[in-house]
Amino acid sequence: MCINYIMKNKILILILFALSNALITKAEKSTLSLYERIGGQPAIDATVELFYKKVLSDSRVCHFFKGINMNKQKNKQKLFIAAALGGPKAWSGKNMRRAHDSLDLNNTHFNAIAENLEESLKEMKVPQVLIKEVMNIVESTRNDVLNL
């Protein structure tokens, strides 16, 4: 049932993304935030759902989520990503260093999370140029997430 929901939303998001891109001129695209260019909250929501499916199946990082309320985690991630990509609401949660300081994270863990996000974006048919922008933002958080 969950997979059907994700697939239906994925198809809807792809259609909405294609339509919105077709209607936006090149000049307008340059003034839109990454949040808007990626498809807004519906695209982020669908991507986060797919992302956590991958993360929870990834032996490198799934153990960090044992005992975690995943609905709450997904909601926080959706809000954080929206804010990080220039969405309408500023992030009001913990900063990256504080949110991860109790976890014994290393580069392998960070890379696994980044890889799962990148693969999720690809599966959602986000254009490579936008994926690169997202991944640059992700990379900019490495030192704080790893408490370096």
Side-chain angles (χ1 to χ4, degrees):
M1 181 163 153
C2 184
I3 292 176
N4 286 339
Y5 175 78
I6 291 172
M7 290 306 294
K8 286 178 185 174
N9 280 330
K10 184 176 177 181
I11 292 167
L12 177 62
I13 297 305
L14 292 174
I15 291 168
L16 290 173
F17 183 76
L19 289 173
S20 68
N21 270 350
L23 296 173
I24 298 172
T25 67
K26 188 175 181 177
E28 289 172 320
K29 284 183 183 180
S30 67
T31 62
L32 296 176
S33 69
L34 181 52
Y35 171 87
E36 293 165 312
R37 289 180 286 136
I38 211 164
Q41 199 61 51
I44 290 170
D45 291 350
T47 302
V48 168
E49 293 294 330
L50 180 58
F51 165 72
Y52 274 112
K53 181 179 175 190
K54 293 179 178 304
V55 166
L56 294 175
S57 298
D58 187 332
S59 62
R60 298 172 294 176
V61 291
C62 63
H63 59 279
F64 289 111
F65 298 92
K66 287 188 178 160
I68 299 294
N69 178 330
M70 289 309 297
N71 286 331
K72 185 176 176 183
Q73 178 66 25
K74 288 177 197 177
N75 287 334
K76 284 192 293 187
Q77 188 73 291
K78 290 170 185 178
L79 292 170
F80 175 76
I81 290 175
L85 300 185
K89 295 181 184 174
W91 175 245
S92 61
K94 294 178 185 176
N95 67 43
M96 289 294 94
R97 188 170 295 271
R98 187 162 170 243
H100 298 93
D101 64 1
S102 65
L103 304 171
D104 190 22
L105 298 173
N106 60 42
N107 280 308
T108 300
H109 303 128
F110 187 93
N111 293 342
I113 294 296
E115 290 165 17
N116 285 307
L117 179 58
E118 185 170 13
E119 286 303 313
S120 297
L121 291 165
K122 286 178 183 177
E123 284 186 40
M124 294 299 296
K125 306 292 187 212
V126 173
Q128 187 59 42
V129 66
L130 298 181
I131 292 174
K132 185 176 179 185
E133 286 185 58
V134 171
M135 299 315 294
N136 286 339
I137 293 169
V138 169
E139 185 58 39
S140 75
T141 69
R142 182 182 295 267
N143 287 347
D144 285 337
V145 169
L146 298 180
N147 287 292
L148 300 176

